[in-house]
């Protein structure tokens, strides 16, 4: 025979239909003969209906389909190699490299005047100093600055 304290400890599982059939049968037998435990069960039922009036909660349609599709999408991303998952990084790197190349080409084209421009007198004093300093830092071009006879390196 089951005792009242055991019934009270099992009322929640009984109400939620989580008991094994043998235990459920023993609880129903005890509840039929014990008014105190039956009153306790009635309180569970009353609180449950007051707090949760709508017990028929259903999942929205196609919920499982959406969950499964999300799982499959994540698995498909994980199968790709890391460089494919980071394909945006290669695009940013290519754009940054192109920007650096174009900027440096423009800068070097406009920053130092050519020797022809210098000899024709079409440069300012500051541009002439830049050209001379650029040429003198390279030992292969010293013949041009020191009065070499030709424009070709010696």
């Amino acid at each position: 025979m089951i005792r009242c304290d055991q019934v009270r400890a099992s009322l929640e599982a009984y109400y939620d239909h989580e008991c094994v059939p043998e235990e459920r049968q023993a609880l129903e037998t005890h509840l039929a003969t014990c008014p105190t435990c039956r009153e306790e069960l009635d309180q569970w039922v009353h609180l449950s209906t007051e707090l949760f009036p709508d017990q028929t909660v259903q999942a929205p349609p196609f919920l499982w389909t959406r969950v499964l599709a999300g799982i499959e999408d994540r698995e498909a991303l994980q199968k790709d190699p890391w460089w494919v998952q980071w394909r945006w990084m290669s695009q940013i790197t290519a754009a940054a490299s192109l920007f650096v190349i174009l900027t440096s080409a423009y800068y070097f084209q406009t920053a130092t005047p050519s020797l022809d421009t210098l000899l024709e007198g079409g440069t300012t004093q500051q541009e002439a100093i830049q050209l001379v300093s650029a040429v003198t830092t390279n030992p292969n071009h010293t013949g041009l600055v020191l009065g070499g006879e030709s424009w070709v390196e010696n």
Side-chain angles (χ1 to χ4, degrees):
M1 187 74 180
I2 192 168
R3 297 188 322 249
C4 289
D5 59 334
Q6 294 172 328
V7 171
R8 288 189 190 114
S10 302
L11 278 180
E12 181 180 358
Y14 173 80
Y15 180 73
D16 291 335
H17 302 285
E18 296 175 349
C19 296
V20 293
E22 296 83 23
E23 184 181 6
R24 186 167 184 81
Q25 181 62 38
L27 288 170
E28 286 175 353
T29 304
H30 181 84
L31 289 171
T33 59
C34 180
T36 309
C37 293
R38 183 70 189 164
E39 185 178 325
E40 183 99 14
L41 178 64
D42 290 341
Q43 289 176 356
W44 270 96
V45 171
H46 177 71
L47 280 174
S48 178
T49 55
E50 289 295 318
L51 294 175
F52 308 106
D54 187 18
Q55 291 289 336
T56 57
V57 177
Q58 293 185 353
F62 303 110
L63 175 66
W64 179 246
T65 306
R66 288 184 277 170
V67 169
L68 187 59
I71 292 170
E72 289 173 351
D73 287 344
R74 284 188 179 254
E75 286 177 352
L77 282 176
Q78 291 175 353
K79 289 180 183 177
D80 292 338
W82 65 270
W83 61 85
V84 174
Q85 293 178 16
W86 288 26
R87 113 186 54 179
W88 59 270
M89 185 67 91
S90 63
Q91 293 171 350
I92 290 175
T93 305
S97 300
L98 183 63
F99 176 75
V100 168
I101 289 169
L102 292 176
T103 303
S104 61
Y106 176 77
Y107 174 76
F108 286 119
Q109 180 183 11
T110 59
T112 307
S114 66
L115 190 55
D116 290 333
T117 308
L118 179 65
L119 293 176
E120 292 174 358
T123 61
T124 63
Q125 182 179 3
Q126 181 64 29
E127 290 173 335
I129 292 171
Q130 281 180 340
L131 178 63
V132 169
S133 65
V135 171
T136 55
T137 56
N138 189 345
N140 295 330
H141 295 108
T142 55
L144 297 174
V145 176
L146 297 176
E149 295 180 272
S150 72
W151 293 58
V152 181
E153 295 178 24
N154 291 341

